[in-house]
Amino acid sequence: KASDARFGRKTSILPDGAERVELIWLAGDRQGARLRWEEVIRLWQEDEAFADFYSETLSSSFSSFFWECPPITAELVAQGAEFEHVTVSNTWGFAKASPQAFSEYLSCQSPEAVTFANLGGDATLVSPCPGSDISIFGHLALFMRHAVKAQQRNFWALVAKTLESTLAERGSSRTWLSTEGSGV
């Protein structure tokens, strides 16, 4: 049962075993329609109940997974592109959280989240600030299952804000929103 009756999810299993998830409006003017990227970006930032619903959607997937969205551009968002993601099972597991490589960025306090460039400088990372239990920060599935709701909400709001900024900067260039997930 979804935590927010306005939204539902349609899950299908792809030939490689990955789960494809589409989000559906269950109420309102768009009842029965898939959520669009522009709606998801706005809702992640402005609607705590939606952030909770989305976190719950991810917490019900594989025990550990990679989370991937199809590439998107500012133009596609403006044209009403529909949102979807896939979760790909990680059967071999992830390394334990080890934030030393990014300690200058992760000295922040829970329930905050931060953005910073990856070590190669070719991607922007969004990370929750580690709390007292570092074990729940190794990958997205653990974070969605065990972090406090306030931190999950802050994380999704910052993901959305960062994505908006990145799309505006990149224009017609494709942008990928995903987790690498092997642990920070």
Side-chain angles (χ1 to χ4, degrees):
K1 183 176 185 278
S3 59
D4 190 322
R6 297 173 297 164
F7 309 105
R9 56 188 159 262
K10 177 184 171 192
T11 302
S12 54
I13 306 301
L14 301 177
D16 64 0
E19 292 181 346
R20 178 179 178 229
V21 178
E22 302 167 332
L23 303 179
I24 311 295
W25 284 102
L26 298 180
D29 295 346
R30 293 193 13 89
Q31 184 173 355
R34 288 178 52 192
L35 271 74
R36 299 177 185 136
W37 268 99
E38 65 184 336
E39 294 168 325
V40 171
I41 292 168
R42 178 182 50 78
L43 289 164
W44 275 338
Q45 292 181 82
E46 300 174 2
D47 191 315
E48 290 182 350
F50 177 79
D52 293 346
F53 162 79
Y54 195 74
S55 294
E56 178 183 292
T57 296
L58 289 177
S59 70
S60 64
S61 191
F62 304 110
S63 61
S64 64
F65 56 82
F66 297 96
W67 172 77
E68 304 170 353
C69 298
I72 194 73
T73 66
E75 182 179 353
L76 289 171
V77 171
Q79 292 172 353
E82 295 174 329
F83 178 85
E84 68 179 63
H85 75 256
V86 297
T87 53
V88 180
S89 179
N90 177 1
T91 56
W92 59 89
F94 290 114
K96 292 183 191 282
S98 178
Q100 287 77 13
F102 299 101
S103 61
E104 68 183 281
Y105 305 106
L106 297 177
S107 61
C108 51
Q109 297 296 311
S110 176
E112 299 299 317
V114 294
T115 63
F116 51 93
N118 69 342
L119 295 175
D122 61 350
T124 301
L125 306 179
V126 179
S127 176
C129 299
S132 58
D133 182 2
I134 192 74
S135 69
I136 69 169
F137 295 91
H139 58 84
L140 189 60
L142 284 174
F143 180 72
M144 291 297 117
R145 289 187 185 107
H146 302 293
V148 296
K149 287 191 182 293
Q151 188 162 28
Q152 292 171 349
R153 293 169 186 155
N154 288 339
F155 171 76
W156 289 121
L158 188 55
V159 166
K161 180 180 175 184
T162 304
L163 180 59
E164 277 184 326
S165 173
T166 301
L167 290 171
E169 289 171 15
R170 294 178 53 82
S172 61
S173 296
R174 296 186 303 172
T175 297
W176 284 262
L177 179 62
S178 64
T179 58
E180 195 285 321
S182 296
V184 173

